[in-house]
Amino acid sequence: MSDKLIIFDTTLRDGEQSPGASMTREEKLRIARQLERLRVDVIEAGFAASSNGDFAAVKAIADVIKESTVCSLARANDRDIARAAEALQGAARARIHTFIATSALHMEKKLRMTPEQVLEQAKQAVRFARNACADVEFSPEDGYRSDPDFLCRVLETVIAEGATTINVPDTVGYAVPELYGEFIRRLRERIPNSDKAVWSVHCHNDLGMAVANSLAGVKIGGARQVECTINGLGERAGNTSLEEVVMAVKTRRDYFDLDVGIDAAQIVPASRMVSQTTGFVVQPNKAVVGANAFAHASGIHQDGVLKARDTYEIMRAEDVGWSANKIVLGKLSGRNAFKQRLQELGIEMESEAEINAAFARFKDLADRKSEIFDEDIIALVGDESVTGEVEHYRLLSLSQRSETGERPHAQVAFAAGTKELHAESDGNGPVDASLKAIESQVKSGAELMLYSVNAITSGSTESQGEVTVRLQHSGRVVNGVGADPDIVVASAKAYLSALNKLHSNAERVAAQG
Ligand code: KIV
Ligand code: ZN
């Protein structure tokens, strides 16, 4: 009989730590619902003690998610753990994930603590957490670069205190597959009570080996939990990609001999939702979820696939949720057809009023775009006119003029709270003019670090443009996303969305600071 591999998703915690990827409570809740549809075993919803906003997000997720375990990160101290426990009170299944660094470098330079102090703090933290929650995970941060003898003492102690999962992070992405797998195998062999806990892997992708390292931790090390994120979202080069691990284990079941509870057909919708929410675009050649992952361009491949699909395909596009690029609806589609498509896409609306608002947005879009694809629907459900989340800055209208040989000019009207502001400006192009017009009123002083436009659906100039704008101000980095068939309008929406994030000035404690 094969074992089960636990999929622990940390898109909403470790993924969100990526500069610019921070999400609002509503955005996190929407993604958590999609993760539940994907049937991940554990959702790490955030770091409750890091900010009031993150506490509220963890609590909201714990209150609604019923099928997956909901987890909060907590540093190894009573205050953080108590805050995590409080946020998780409403959860059907709760987990507290507590951590402290154990490498000599981190203990000496970052924590300024002796190894004995760290050992004692880890022990007290797990004891305290176990009194608050039956399911406790412990992570020795920078575990892979820690002295194995010391690590064995710490892990044996926390298991004795009741830690139910032991996670071995490669915090800085330094591991290579065979060595990481062996590292975990030896820890499990040497620690007398290692069989009392589930072993877990948590790999960062700095050398591009996070997925390979995680799978080696499973195959060689015997780990039975993988920590990962949708699209590999995460700080620096990111985390282990959920979709790659899941499809590797499913496709090569002959080798891994493990079960995963994931509903793979929800992978692409989850990938879309995360990239549209955070503005982190998926590279076209990304395994499983990239736009080209199943595209056969060469004649020889196309010919082979037409004759027998498995000549060049090891997975089926539809099995991972690529039903996309299908024309689903148009101008004449009714409310029922729209509602049914929402259901098929796994999009839950809170109320009839929300469905009505989404349908009105859909009709508005269908007036300007003859074919509406799944991706268009996914983009419009995040719109504030649908979610009812009233943002501080909102675009009201935009007009712009550009002509060969003339300097482009834009006029923008937008709301700032209850005020209506009007602005105009010239610019190098219509996008530049529009953003300058907005900035002339808001005076945010933010630095534009990234501007990118992508077609939501490929292959047609009729597609909606999805614009990502990344702004930096006083050390904070935020991403804003906007979608519209008119890319100048999409750009203004994205800029205002980024300003909204700067406007909500939530201060956060960094998990690995
Ligand atoms: O990478 C890391 O070490 C972490 C821990 C907090 C688990 O994310
Ligand atoms: Zn991490």
Side-chain angles (χ1 to χ4, degrees), residues 10 13-14 17 169-171 202-204 235 239 512:
T10 184
R13 197 281 295 170
D14 213 335
Q17 275 170 225
D170 177 24
T171 304
H202 178 113
C203 299
H204 283 263
E235 277 186 281
N239 284 66
Q512 291 156 39

Side-chain angles (χ1 to χ4, degrees), residues 46-49 55 58 71-74 78-89 94-97 132:
F47 175 14
F55 176 88
V58 175
C71 171
S72 172
L73 187 70
D78 293 1
R79 185 195 159 268
D80 268 31
I81 295 169
R83 197 82 176 128
E86 192 187 339
L88 293 169
Q89 252 166 20
R95 174 179 295 187
I96 294 177
H97 176 192

Side-chain angles (χ1 to χ4, degrees), residues 9-178:
D9 180 278
T10 184
T11 306
L12 301 176
R13 197 281 295 170
D14 213 335
E16 202 216 11
Q17 275 170 225
S18 180
S22 68
M23 297 170 230
T24 64
R25 188 177 67 124
E26 283 67 27
E27 288 169 340
K28 283 185 142 198
L29 197 52
R30 206 175 308 134
I31 291 175
R33 286 206 172 99
Q34 178 59 26
L35 294 173
E36 188 180 38
R37 279 191 286 275
L38 184 60
R39 300 215 205 105
V40 306
D41 300 286
V42 186
I43 299 173
E44 189 163 49
F47 175 14
S50 68
S51 68
N52 289 339
D54 226 23
F55 176 88
V58 175
K59 180 168 167 29
I61 292 169
D63 290 348
V64 304
I65 296 297
K66 296 292 165 242
E67 302 299 328
S68 312
T69 296
V70 180
C71 171
S72 172
L73 187 70
R75 286 168 298 188
N77 65 58
D78 293 1
R79 185 195 159 268
D80 268 31
I81 295 169
R83 197 82 176 128
E86 192 187 339
L88 293 169
Q89 252 166 20
R93 277 188 288 272
R95 174 179 295 187
I96 294 177
H97 176 192
T98 189
F99 74 100
I100 189 165
T102 51
S103 67
L105 189 64
H106 279 227
M107 289 190 291
E108 191 192 323
K109 303 278 188 238
K110 186 180 85 169
L111 298 176
R112 297 185 200 286
M113 287 169 76
T114 66
E116 293 313 311
Q117 287 171 325
V118 167
L119 175 65
E120 187 55 24
Q121 193 161 326
K123 176 178 170 177
Q124 295 306 332
V126 170
R127 182 177 293 178
F128 188 76
R130 263 313 294 261
N131 279 331
C133 186
D135 187 346
V136 172
E137 173 168 332
F138 176 78
S139 288
E141 190 191 358
D142 205 17
Y144 181 65
R145 292 195 301 169
S146 302
D147 169 49
D149 293 340
F150 177 61
L151 198 53
C152 283
R153 283 178 65 211
V154 173
L155 298 182
E156 183 179 347
T157 304
V158 297
I159 296 170
E161 289 298 334
T164 43
T165 300
I166 295 295
N167 181 42
V168 184
D170 177 24
T171 304
V172 292
Y174 181 69
V176 291
E178 204 179 340

